[in-house]
Amino acid sequence: MRSDGWLGLELRHLVALKAVADEGAFGRAAQSLGYTQSAVSQQIAALERIVGARLIDRPGGPRPVTLTEAGRLLLSHAEGVTARLQAAQADLAALGAGDAGPLRIGTYQSVGAKILPTLLRSFCAEWPKVDITLLERTDDRDLLTLVERGDVDLSFVVLPLVPGPFRAVELMRDPYVLLVQADSPLARRERPPALREILELPLIGYRTCRTTGRVEERLRLAGREPKVVFRSDDNGTIHGMVGAGVGCAVMPRLAVDDTYDGVVVREFGGREHVRLIAVAWHKDRYHSAAAQSFVETARDVCADLAEEPPESLVA
């Protein structure tokens, strides 16, 4: 028999085989399935034609029918098939209820270090069947491109949003700080540095962060071009350069590693120098119950980290 003849095998054939094996009689198997006895006999006969083997011994009389060796072998596979189908049914029901399925999250470095560990522990405890996938980029504009294409369901971003089909919720206001070498006079001074003093310092800057670019623009408005001596998008590298005395760094407070020896954090500039962290999604796509819960959990986690309350929903 050609192997493609098995394409005619249907689930009802395997269910009938299992019922006959369990009940030991065609009549009782039919009763358990709600079929007629002739319907069960027809399904078993069709199954034997498809697989090209006798599956059931029919001794006749009152003696129970039994499976042949081929029947027992096929039944072992049938039980695995039906179990997988039952699992698929449960998974689809859970997916329909929003309790399971994939959830793809876009993120960037400081969020991954400071927000996501606590957030994922809390979320996964409540939604254990949701499969989280994380995609990291250095620029949130790239993350919003992933949102627009449908490659991620949600993404951490920085406000204001670039134009596009997005909705966002602000999570926290993250102030910018000055990272200085621990041996620097600025580290020991009580008064925080003014913007004009920062202009005199050699600075370690980011390459692609658009929000620190805005801070540098404000420094330009304060007098002249900042003296950037090195750029990197890696927060660890920036800490190392500051600790080595190469320069100071203006960076978001959330990006600072408080365990790093040799550097000190100094406030500067007041309340206007902040980064607005948000989570965004495509406004025209389905927003699952799990995705909505992820946003709410993110708001709760960030509320514990934030120095100022966030704003409301952003279009």
Side-chain angles (χ1 to χ4, degrees):
M1 170 161 297
R2 294 174 56 188
S3 60
D4 59 5
W6 281 64
L7 296 177
L9 192 151
E10 299 179 14
L11 179 61
R12 61 192 178 95
H13 298 144
L14 300 178
V15 170
L17 179 66
K18 186 177 187 306
V20 171
D22 290 343
E23 301 294 340
F26 280 82
R28 289 194 298 272
Q31 187 175 6
S32 70
L33 295 174
Y35 295 163
T36 64
Q37 182 171 332
S38 62
V40 172
S41 297
Q42 290 170 9
Q43 289 172 15
I44 296 300
L47 181 59
E48 289 179 327
R49 287 196 300 272
I50 290 169
V51 302
R54 187 164 56 90
L55 303 174
I56 294 177
D57 280 328
R58 303 166 175 81
R63 289 180 296 174
V65 298
T66 58
L67 298 187
T68 64
E69 183 177 357
R72 290 191 297 272
L73 177 62
L74 182 59
L75 181 62
S76 68
H77 291 287
E79 289 172 336
V81 170
T82 55
R84 291 296 298 271
L85 285 172
Q86 288 169 349
Q89 182 182 18
D91 286 346
L92 285 173
L95 179 62
D99 296 332
L103 185 61
R104 302 158 300 170
I105 308 296
T107 186
Y108 45 87
Q109 195 175 175
S110 57
V111 167
K114 294 288 186 67
I115 296 177
L116 277 178
T118 302
L119 172 54
L120 290 178
R121 280 194 297 269
S122 179
F123 178 81
C124 292
E126 185 177 355
W127 298 81
K129 294 183 179 180
V130 173
D131 183 18
I132 297 284
T133 301
L134 300 174
L135 288 85
E136 184 181 80
R137 298 291 187 271
T138 57
D139 192 328
D140 69 327
R141 289 169 293 194
D142 295 334
L143 293 170
L144 285 170
T145 298
L146 297 178
V147 171
E148 187 168 10
R149 291 203 313 242
D151 293 334
V152 297
D153 303 299
L154 299 167
S155 183
F156 290 93
V157 295
V158 177
L159 299 178
L161 295 174
V162 299
F166 309 119
R167 294 276 283 172
V169 168
E170 184 183 323
L171 300 176
M172 64 182 294
R173 303 169 70 83
D174 186 24
Y176 281 93
V177 296
L178 185 68
L179 199 65
V180 302
Q181 187 184 34
D183 295 336
S184 166
L186 285 174
R188 298 186 294 272
R189 199 176 72 183
E190 292 185 9
R191 178 175 57 83
L195 287 179
R196 65 179 182 276
E197 293 177 281
I198 295 175
L199 281 167
E200 302 295 332
L201 302 173
L203 295 177
I204 313 297
Y206 287 98
R207 284 201 306 266
T208 59
C209 180
R210 64 187 176 100
T211 55
T212 51
R214 291 199 295 268
V215 173
E216 289 183 14
E217 183 59 32
R218 288 170 185 164
L219 291 174
R220 293 185 186 97
L221 293 174
R224 58 180 181 273
E225 186 71 21
K227 296 192 296 185
V228 179
V229 297
F230 182 75
R231 292 190 182 276
S232 174
D233 285 328
D234 183 78
N235 289 332
T237 298
I238 293 174
H239 281 68
M241 291 295 180
V242 173
V246 175
C248 303
V250 174
M251 61 193 312
R253 185 66 181 84
L254 204 63
V256 174
D257 182 356
D258 294 309
T259 67
Y260 197 95
D261 292 332
V263 298
V264 172
V265 174
R266 299 306 314 269
E267 307 292 336
F268 83 95
R271 294 165 57 92
E272 69 272 17
H273 296 292
V274 295
R275 179 178 65 158
L276 306 180
I277 295 177
V279 62
W281 60 92
H282 197 296
K283 66 180 182 180
D284 298 324
R285 289 201 174 94
Y286 173 65
H287 200 47
S288 70
Q292 295 173 42
S293 179
F294 187 92
V295 172
E296 291 305 313
T297 305
R299 294 181 78 169
D300 292 341
V301 169
C302 290
D304 293 335
L305 294 172
E307 298 181 2
E308 300 179 41
E311 301 293 336
S312 58
L313 192 71
V314 179

